[in-house]
Each structure stands twice: as C-alpha cells, then as structure tokens.
Amino acid sequence: MRAQSSSIHLDTVPASFTKVVFDTIKIGIVKSNLIAMFAGLAMALYVHHIPFFDKIGNIVLALIGSSLVIGAAGVFNNLYDRDIDRIMERTKGRPTVTGVVGVASGLLIGSWIALVGLAALYVASPLAALFGFLGLFLYVVPYTMWTKRRTVYNTEIGSLSGAMPPLIGWAAISPDMLNSSILALFLMMVIWQMPHFYAIAIRRMEEYRAANIPMLPVVKGMHRTYVQMNVYLAALLLCSILFWPFNPYIAVTNAVLSLAWLIISVVGYRKKEERVWAKSMFIFSLNHMTILMLLIIGYSLIRPLF
C-alpha cells in the first residue's frame, strides 16, 4: 500500500494501517458474511450428525478462506468503483478513492488474498473452493463490472453472490448440496438481500442518482420500490416452510420475523417520511438476519449435546 504524495491531504488519510486494511476489504461485509458462512457450516454438522471437533480443520480453513475471498471481492469492488465512490458521501473516504491504496498495490493485495483464500477453501473441500470462486466472480464481474451501472436488476445479480457464504460453509463439511436445509438457507439469503438493499438505496437515493447508478428507487420511483419490497418480504415469509424439515422452531422464527418486517413496511410507509421508513426497514433487516443466523448456529451446535 502506498499514498499518493502531494495530492492527498492529511485529513483524508485513514488514522491507522488497520483502518486502511479494514476499509479496503470492507470489513463489515466480511464479518456479516462469515456469520452466514458459519450458519451453513453448523447446519451441515447438525444434519449429518458430525461432531464439531471431528471437522475442526475444515472449520478453521473455511473461516480463513472465506474471510480472505470475501475481503478480496471487497478490494476489487473498491478499485473498480473509485470514480463513483468519489461522488458518494459514504464512500468518498475509502483508501482506494483517496489514493492511500493505489491501483497496482490494490490489485496485488486482492489477487494474493483471493488465491490464498481459495487455496484454503480447496484444502477444506474442492466444492467449498468452487462456491468461493463463484461468489468472488459473481460479485466482481456480473455485479460490479457489468450490471451495477447498467440495470435496476443489479441487486438481483448481487444477491446471488451474497448468498454463496452458506454454501461455502456447508460444502466445507458435506458434498450433499441438494439437502433441503441448505437450499432453504440459500434461498432465504437471496430473498432477504432484496428488501435489505432497497432500503439502503432509498436512504442513499440522491447519492446513487448523482453517481448515475440505476438503483430501483432512482429509476422506477418509490412506489414501485415499495411494492417490490413487499413482494420479496411475502416470499421471505413463504420461505419459512422450507426450514420446517430442519427445525420447526427456526421455521416459525423466520415466519414471525418476516411477517413483522412486512407489517413494518406497510404501516411505516403510510405513516413515516420516506427516509425514516427506509431506515427502520434497514435496521430491522439486520436484526432479522442476525437473530435467524445465530439461532441456526446455536441450535445446530448445542442441540447435539442433549
């Protein structure tokens, strides 16, 4: 990593090396995706009656490999989006925008951590490495380089990449990818991302408009976005049925959370200012995912002890 000498003002340079690294790899996305990956992994251990410590090597490799691959995706995304990140308030301080991380050094870092991450996943399971590569590829090429700047369906494309972590975790433990439990988790992740990212798009609508990014509320307007969010929330509610074979309590939890989210959407849209409503939708989306993932992890790891 290197700074661009005189063109960088001191007040735009991140305070520490750690912050530079975390901002470059998008540490928040890394952490949230690791929870989803571990949910898939824990679910596989439970479904196939495999003791945790029998697969401790695979678990460690999956955690390391996933962290690096997801981080690499963040690096490549930041490098490619430097021009639009410079325009948007929430991204204009990224090291790839300020020049603290140059293109050459960013490509080198991203490439190396991607290769090391994929190698770690391959040692755990070649299938885990395949899903790791798919997640990286889908995020960087079809999403970042192609659809993000061209179509309102960029969110749908991006959701496929965002749903790969549970598949990585499951594949690190078991090759049984047609099991109903992992299919339920994968589908839930795909659907959940739509209202989650629509809420972000509404909150940052003017920034996306300034950067000429065709997010749904920018191109189609608020009413269309509201209707589409509710369609996905209804689908998320129906998705609960798929969790029933894994555990009825988790199925019911997802149903209750999804129904509450849908109620917040309908009631809040009528009573609140648009951005206030979008903020409440965004916050609830985080709570929904955190509660459900932790419940899956906790049940999968604790239930076999009794």
Side-chain angles (χ1 to χ4, degrees), residues 1-151:
M1 297 182 183
R2 56 184 174 79
Q4 283 183 346
S5 59
S6 60
S7 64
I8 302 300
H9 298 288
L10 289 178
D11 59 356
T12 65
V13 178
S16 68
F17 175 77
T18 301
K19 179 169 172 52
V20 171
V21 173
F22 283 177
D23 287 349
T24 303
I25 66 174
K26 298 187 175 182
I27 191 62
I29 292 178
V30 172
K31 290 189 291 186
S32 61
N33 278 280
L34 279 182
I35 295 174
M37 186 282 295
F38 202 78
L41 186 152
M43 184 181 270
L45 289 173
Y46 174 77
V47 169
H48 296 288
H49 309 290
I50 300 172
F52 182 87
F53 288 102
D54 282 8
K55 289 287 187 177
I56 192 64
N58 290 45
I59 293 169
V60 172
L61 287 168
L63 286 168
I64 294 172
S66 297
S67 300
L68 294 175
V69 171
I70 297 165
V75 174
F76 293 138
N77 174 266
N78 279 342
L79 288 172
Y80 191 83
D81 281 349
R82 297 188 318 282
D83 57 333
I84 58 176
D85 283 348
R86 189 172 290 111
I87 299 171
M88 302 178 70
E89 186 66 28
R90 71 183 178 89
T91 58
K92 67 181 183 181
R94 285 176 176 169
T96 46
V97 174
T98 62
V100 175
V101 175
V103 175
S105 57
L107 287 173
L108 182 64
I109 293 167
S111 298
W112 269 108
I113 64 175
L115 289 173
V116 173
L118 289 172
L121 290 177
Y122 186 85
V123 175
S125 160
L127 195 56
L130 173 62
F131 286 120
F133 173 77
L134 284 175
L136 177 64
F137 175 79
L138 287 169
Y139 188 70
V140 175
V141 180
Y143 172 66
T144 299
M145 300 178 69
W146 179 33
T147 60
K148 183 175 181 178
R149 306 182 189 216
R150 290 176 173 82
T151 172

Side-chain angles (χ1 to χ4, degrees), residues 18 68 86 96 108 128 161 213 248 265 275 277 295 299:
T18 301
L68 294 175
R86 189 172 290 111
T96 46
L108 182 64
S161 173
I213 303 299
S265 175
R275 281 172 177 76
W277 167 71
L295 186 61
Y299 177 80

Side-chain angles (χ1 to χ4, degrees), residues 180-181 184 239-252:
S180 62
S181 297
C239 183
S240 304
I241 300 171
L242 300 177
F243 283 102
W244 194 269
F246 174 69
N247 180 258
Y249 294 109
I250 289 174
V252 171

Side-chain angles (χ1 to χ4, degrees), residues 257-299:
L257 290 171
S258 301
L259 181 59
W261 196 0
L262 182 58
I263 292 172
I264 289 172
S265 175
V266 174
V267 175
Y269 184 75
R270 295 174 180 174
K271 295 185 176 181
K272 297 179 180 178
E273 188 271 330
E274 289 175 352
R275 281 172 177 76
V276 175
W277 167 71
K279 182 178 180 180
S280 65
M281 293 287 286
F282 171 72
I283 292 173
F284 193 89
S285 72
L286 297 180
N287 291 331
H288 179 286
M289 183 56 61
T290 302
I291 292 170
L292 193 65
M293 290 298 175
L294 291 180
L295 186 61
I296 290 173
I297 292 170
Y299 177 80

